[in-house]
Amino acid sequence: MTSATAADYGWIRSSSLFAYGLEIGYTMTLVRGLPPAELLGVAGAEPRETCEGLHELIHEHTEIMFGYENWPESFLVGAFTVPGEGGDWTLALEFGGDLGTRPTLLEALSAGTRAVSHSSNGGKPMDFFHWYEDGELRTTFEWPADRTGSTPDELNAVMREVGLDPTGDEDPDVDSKAAVLALTERLTGVRVTDQLFTDAVYLTGEVPEAPAEEW
């Protein structure tokens, strides 16, 4: 397991690209051992062109959003392979979508492996963290003290190490979003950087909005 802490992710507040995700909402999902094309297939994505870098992914995302007169009926997901603990992982990134927060989908993606996701809906905001293992939701929370899942307390020691207090006594000097990224790295071995997002070649797909019954 890596030794990442919130301090390693202070860059998220100076990154204009990550700020875009925080403003309009984002979800980042990491799945071990599942290639990008397979992840998009499980998500029911309609294949689209490859995006060379995050700027192009954001451009394609806005093109889809502006293509709908009213509420968007789908959203763009970009996925690429990254090295991590136990082998290759797929990192899937989306803006304004919910792929990484769909319980049925995360159960399927994590079957026989591990999946970790975190998100923000922008605006309000509401921020979530999810850890799935072999199709089972192990730990999830919006606030560190309000955890659910089959093993809600298993990450408590690691949460303290990265800067999150499971008792809810928040440290004003710790960026909780940066701490969640560090917690994700502890579980995946994947170090996310501004450069990683900027330079990645994204395999993309358009994912339909989830029907109400999935919730």
Side-chain angles (χ1 to χ4, degrees), residues 138-141 144 147-156 159:
R138 298 288 294 275
T139 305
T140 182
F141 59 84
R147 302 176 307 282
T148 58
S150 64
T151 58
D153 298 328
E154 186 169 344
L155 300 180
N156 286 7
M159 289 174 68

Side-chain angles (χ1 to χ4, degrees), residues 32 106 117 140 158 215:
R32 182 172 55 206
L106 266 293
S117 72
T140 182
V158 181
W215 301 96

Side-chain angles (χ1 to χ4, degrees), residues 16-66:
S16 61
L17 294 173
F18 201 84
Y20 175 81
L22 291 172
E23 178 182 354
I24 72 163
Y26 81 93
T27 301
M28 190 181 93
T29 305
L30 283 155
V31 182
R32 182 172 55 206
L34 191 69
E38 290 187 30
L39 184 150
L40 293 173
V42 173
E46 179 182 345
R48 293 178 60 95
E49 62 277 359
T50 298
C51 287
E52 301 280 346
L54 188 56
H55 286 282
E56 190 170 318
L57 183 72
I58 291 174
H59 173 76
E60 291 301 315
H61 155 76
T62 56
E63 288 290 306
I64 290 174
M65 293 299 99
F66 292 148

Side-chain angles (χ1 to χ4, degrees), residues 50-199:
T50 298
C51 287
E52 301 280 346
L54 188 56
H55 286 282
E56 190 170 318
L57 183 72
I58 291 174
H59 173 76
E60 291 301 315
H61 155 76
T62 56
E63 288 290 306
I64 290 174
M65 293 299 99
F66 292 148
Y68 292 103
E69 293 184 4
N70 299 308
W71 190 259
E73 298 174 8
S74 64
F75 56 89
L76 186 71
V77 176
F80 60 97
T81 301
V82 287
E85 183 180 326
D88 284 340
W89 293 66
T90 288
L91 188 157
L93 180 65
E94 68 212 66
F95 299 105
D98 59 16
L99 182 146
T101 63
R102 298 181 181 183
T104 302
L105 178 57
L106 266 293
E107 290 168 6
L109 290 175
S110 65
T113 188
R114 173 177 291 182
V116 182
S117 72
H118 54 82
S119 62
S120 174
N121 68 342
K124 298 179 183 178
M126 296 172 64
D127 299 275
F128 293 97
F129 170 88
H130 306 283
W131 164 38
Y132 282 78
E133 198 85 20
D134 197 16
E136 179 181 61
L137 176 60
R138 298 288 294 275
T139 305
T140 182
F141 59 84
E142 180 180 4
W143 308 107
D146 187 21
R147 302 176 307 282
T148 58
S150 64
T151 58
D153 298 328
E154 186 169 344
L155 300 180
N156 286 7
V158 181
M159 289 174 68
R160 291 188 179 94
E161 290 175 8
V162 301
L164 297 169
D165 191 333
T167 68
D169 187 12
E170 297 184 23
D171 184 339
D173 294 326
V174 173
D175 184 331
S176 59
K177 177 59 71 175
V180 164
L181 267 77
L183 179 60
T184 300
E185 181 179 336
R186 293 289 192 103
L187 286 167
T188 64
V190 176
R191 171 61 61 93
V192 173
T193 65
D194 198 19
Q195 200 69 32
L196 179 71
F197 283 137
T198 301
D199 295 344

